[in-house]
Amino acid sequence: MLAGGGLAGIAWETGILRGIADESPATAEALLNADVIVGTSAGSTVAAQLVSGLGLDALFERQIVPSTTELNPNVGVEAITELFLNAIMQPGSKAEKLQRIGSVALSEYVLGRAAAMASVSTVLRIATAYGLSPRMRFDLTVSQFAWELATGRPLQVYDADTWRPYCHVRDIAKAVMTVLDASDADVRGEVFNVGDTSQQFTKRMIVDEVRKHLADVRVTFGEGDTDPRNYRVSFDKIGARLGFRCDHTVEDYLARLTSAIQAGIFPDVAEPAFGNYTVRNIEPTY
C-alpha cells in the first residue's frame, strides 16, 4: 500500500523504493512483481508508474532532472493564497464563501492553462458517490443512513433539508469513459458536472426512501450540523455536449442495500478511522 503526500510524496516514495532496490534487489523485485499494487492519492500515481514498464532507475531519474514537462502555472503560491484569502474574508455565509472559493478554483489559472496544454485536459466534478461493493464505505450519507436503520440503530439527522447530488459508481465510470471516447474539441479545457438532475436529494428525502423498505425505524431530526454543504447543480452540459445519462438511481440502490444488510452480507462495522470503516469477514477478491 502506497500512501499519499502530494508531489513530495511521489518523490519520497520513489526514492524509498530506489533505496530498497540498492540495498536488497530481491526485496525490490518481489515488491514490483506483486499481483496487486495499491495506492491512495499520490501513492496511486506511484503505483501507476511502477506498472508502466519503466524501471525504478528511470523513475528515480525523472524526479531529479532539472527540467520538467509539467505545465508551468505562471503563478506563485503567494498569489494563489491571496486569491483564496480574499474569497474567505469577504462578508457572507459559509455557503457563499465556499462558492467564492469554488469560483477561484475554476478561474483562468485552471481552465485557461488546461486549454493551452498539448494534451487534452478535462475536469469532472462528480456528485457524491454510492454503490455496492465487497468493501463498502458506510460513512457516506446514503449508505450510512441505510446501514444505521437496517441494523435497528437510532439515526440522528442534522440539517435534514440540505441538498446533495448523488451518482452511482458505475455511472461515474461511464462518465470517465464517455470523456475518453469523445472528440478533443468537445472536452478540451472543459468542466462537466457528473450526475443526474433527478438524483438530487435532501437528507430527509433519503430517510423517506429508506423507510419504504423498513418498518419501525427510529429517526430524530436536529439542527446545528458543522457541515454547511447545501447545493443543487445542473447536469445539462454533459448530457447536451456528450450525450451522457445516468443508468442508476438512489431509489433502486437503497432497495438493494437494505436487503443486503438485512441478509447479513455486511456484518456490524467498527467506528470509522479517517472516514473509513473496516468490513470484516469478507475475503478480498482480485
Side-chain angles (χ1 to χ4, degrees):
M1 167 63 79
L2 299 168
L7 294 176
I10 295 173
W12 185 85
E13 290 175 9
T14 304
I16 287 292
L17 290 169
R18 168 68 179 274
I20 292 174
D22 289 343
E23 294 296 323
S24 177
T27 300
E29 183 177 0
L31 289 171
L32 296 177
N33 291 332
D35 293 334
V36 177
I37 300 178
V38 180
T40 179
S41 190
S44 63
T45 300
V46 177
Q49 291 177 343
L50 291 176
V51 299
S52 68
L54 289 176
L56 275 176
D57 288 343
L59 294 176
F60 180 78
E61 291 300 322
R62 290 171 64 178
Q63 294 296 324
I64 60 174
V65 293
S67 61
T68 177
T69 57
E70 292 185 12
L71 182 68
N72 184 351
N74 296 316
V75 61
V77 173
E78 295 81 5
I80 290 291
T81 301
E82 183 179 357
L83 286 171
F84 279 95
L85 285 176
N86 287 338
I88 294 172
M89 298 305 293
Q90 294 178 37
S93 65
K94 289 183 179 179
E96 290 170 337
K97 291 181 179 181
L98 288 173
Q99 289 172 352
R100 286 197 292 269
I101 291 173
S103 297
V104 171
L106 289 176
S107 69
E108 61 177 324
Y109 289 106
V110 176
L111 298 183
R113 286 158 180 77
M117 292 177 67
S119 60
V120 178
S121 298
T122 307
V123 176
L124 297 182
R125 303 176 69 240
I126 299 171
T128 302
Y130 68 91
L132 283 171
S133 74
R135 195 286 194 211
M136 285 290 294
R137 284 284 303 274
F138 284 105
D139 56 341
L140 301 175
T141 307
V142 176
S143 301
Q144 178 197 354
F145 286 10
W147 183 77
E148 297 277 3
L149 296 177
T151 54
R153 289 167 170 75
L155 177 64
Q156 174 76 48
V157 179
Y158 290 98
D159 296 331
D161 297 311
T162 54
W163 287 85
R164 194 78 56 81
Y166 296 91
C167 189
H168 195 280
V169 289
R170 288 184 178 273
D171 287 321
I172 294 172
K174 176 184 175 182
V176 172
M177 293 306 301
T178 298
V179 170
L180 291 175
D181 290 338
S183 68
D184 293 356
D186 284 336
V187 297
R188 182 187 295 275
E190 294 290 347
V191 178
F192 295 101
N193 293 335
V194 178
D196 191 292
T197 302
S198 68
Q199 295 301 296
Q200 304 189 82
F201 301 87
T202 64
K203 295 178 183 178
R204 192 186 305 274
M205 292 166 69
I206 297 296
V207 170
D208 289 342
E209 285 295 329
V210 176
R211 277 177 161 153
K212 294 178 181 179
H213 310 287
L214 301 169
D216 302 322
V217 296
R218 293 175 291 168
V219 183
T220 56
F221 296 97
E223 298 295 333
D225 193 6
T226 57
D227 185 348
R229 291 175 291 179
N230 176 26
Y231 57 94
R232 301 176 71 180
V233 301
S234 171
F235 299 99
D236 293 342
K237 181 178 177 180
I238 193 169
R241 181 76 62 86
L242 304 180
F244 173 83
R245 295 290 184 276
C246 287
D247 298 322
H248 302 269
T249 68
V250 168
E251 296 91 335
D252 290 342
Y253 168 71
L254 285 172
R256 295 187 179 95
L257 179 57
T258 52
S259 296
I261 295 170
Q262 291 179 314
I265 294 177
F266 301 106
D268 195 4
V269 296
E271 289 298 317
F274 305 109
N276 291 299
Y277 282 84
T278 299
V279 179
R280 301 180 180 87
N281 304 324
I282 298 180
E283 292 297 326
T285 57
Y286 304 108

